[in-house]
Amino acid sequence: MRVLDAARDDRLTRDAMLAALDASGLRGLGGAGFPAARKWRAVFAQPGPRHLVVNADEGEPGTFKDRWCLQHHLYRTLEGMLLAAHAIDAEACWIYLRDEYPEARHDLATAIVTLRQAGMALRPIHLRRGAGAYICGEETALLESLEGRRGYPRHKPPYPGEVGLFGRPTLIHNVETLWWLPEIFGAPDAAARFAAAGRRGQVGRRLVSLSGRVRNPGVHNAPAGITARELIEEFGGGMQTGHRLAAYLPGGASGGILPATMADLPLAFGSLDHLGCFVGSGGVVVLSDQDDLVEAVRNLVRFFRDESCGQCTPCRVGTQKAAGLLDAPHWDRALLTELAQAMADGSICGLGHAAMNPVLSLLRHFPAEVVP
Ligand SMILES: Cc1cc2nc3c(=O)[nH]c(=O)nc-3n(C[C@H](O)[C@H](O)[C@H](O)COP(=O)(O)O)c2cc1C
Ligand code: SF4
């Protein structure tokens, strides 16, 4: 843990870390893409004690890069966590781990003991198991769950950086966001190199979970701004034999669906907003001419229906209603659009806001697939 050592003996100061974060342009990779440096400053500006929470819930369908970090680079990930904790002077670190990752739980528990014995963990590190609810990946639901309550998202503001875990200022980061830190802080020019790695004017790199009809599905370290076609060709080994690219999900279940004719667009935070889509947590799912897109959309909406926590009516009832409407042989475009608007306007959290993205994408980008 060379970088952590440098931070501990002040060769790498807090200001230097913040400057490097600024220069790297690193954004939160759990989905929202909030600039990391701004979050650190906001949390550190609050009076202590503060907490550091690692969001290892990884529930977004099509996203598995956090598991890869924990499986293949566990100590690098933990070093990133300890660097962030050091920078905000956190009282304790809390890791909220998806329960479906038992190997990661075992490895984390062992590593935490090792770090303690080696004197590297200067603050308590708590490992907590999620209970399989997608909504507990949402940061405020996660905090509720960590505090021992049902995982209902909180109203924001206040944001966790002000009032977070146990009412204390809390820095919450996705596993991958932390994974990047040792690299970004590891050399004087590393932050600038990270920033410059993007394509088409986009900043940085990220771990893309690539799945679906490609030859080599898996986690790929790709430049921001890469296109879906480049991802498939350069990293995915091309399409599987007998499959022709028909569509892709740029950001897991929530990020919408785009047709093959739009496979040359840069994938980056904000780059797909005008199409009603987003890259979110970087899970790219490739669909082919042999996939039934309408059935895929039904499946995604059923997922949101099942995972809605039920706290607010537009999402709880809206997802149920939508799933029913989609089962009809002919879709009521006007009603589905109105329902989507009501859910986007009236839901508390991102699940309700994004649940209809697959439907809206299909209506907008694949008119021939939908029987009006
Ligand atoms: C419904 C929903 C589910 C989410 N699930 C996850 C998740 O599984 N893992 C994650 O890191 N972020 C998830 N997020 C994003 C978190 O709320 C939060 O933005 C993130 O943990 C912040 O870390 P980052 O700044 O490093 O991205 C989810 C958000 C929503 C709205
Ligand atoms: S939008 Fe859905 S998931 Fe989010 S709080 Fe409301 S009911 Fe729960």
Side-chain angles (χ1 to χ4, degrees), residues 28-30 39 55 57-59 134 137-139 172-174 177 350:
L29 298 165
K39 204 145 95 169
N55 189 342
D57 201 45
E58 193 156 61
Y134 170 68
E138 195 281 334
E139 56 187 4
I172 305 181
H173 269 314
N174 167 254
T177 315

Side-chain angles (χ1 to χ4, degrees), residues 101-166:
Y101 290 173
E103 296 89 1
R105 186 166 76 242
H106 173 268
D107 294 350
L108 269 168
T110 309
I112 290 168
V113 172
T114 306
L115 287 177
R116 269 193 211 123
Q117 286 170 348
M120 301 300 290
L122 297 186
R123 42 187 53 80
I125 303 172
H126 305 283
L127 177 58
R128 293 287 182 271
R129 295 162 60 178
Y134 170 68
I135 195 56
C136 286
E138 195 281 334
E139 56 187 4
T140 60
L142 187 157
L143 294 177
E144 288 289 303
S145 177
L146 266 184
E147 291 180 9
R149 284 186 295 276
R150 185 173 179 160
Y152 276 162
R154 299 175 182 171
H155 283 277
K156 296 187 263 191
Y159 292 93
E162 305 158 304
V163 182
L165 188 62
F166 304 118

Side-chain angles (χ1 to χ4, degrees), residues 51 60 87 123 215 232 268 275 311 327-328:
H51 290 291
E60 186 66 35
R123 42 187 53 80
R215 280 182 206 273
I232 294 166
L275 300 167
Q311 182 181 194
D327 280 341

Side-chain angles (χ1 to χ4, degrees), residues 135 151-153 307-316 347-353:
I135 195 56
Y152 276 162
E307 294 298 333
S308 167
C309 79
Q311 182 181 194
C312 57
T313 310
C315 170
R316 183 184 66 247
S347 296
I348 289 178
C349 86
L351 189 154
H353 299 151

Side-chain angles (χ1 to χ4, degrees), residues 44 49-52 84-93 122-124:
F44 192 62
R50 306 175 195 89
H51 290 291
L52 186 280
H86 181 78
I88 61 150
D89 196 15
E91 188 183 71
C93 297
L122 297 186
R123 42 187 53 80

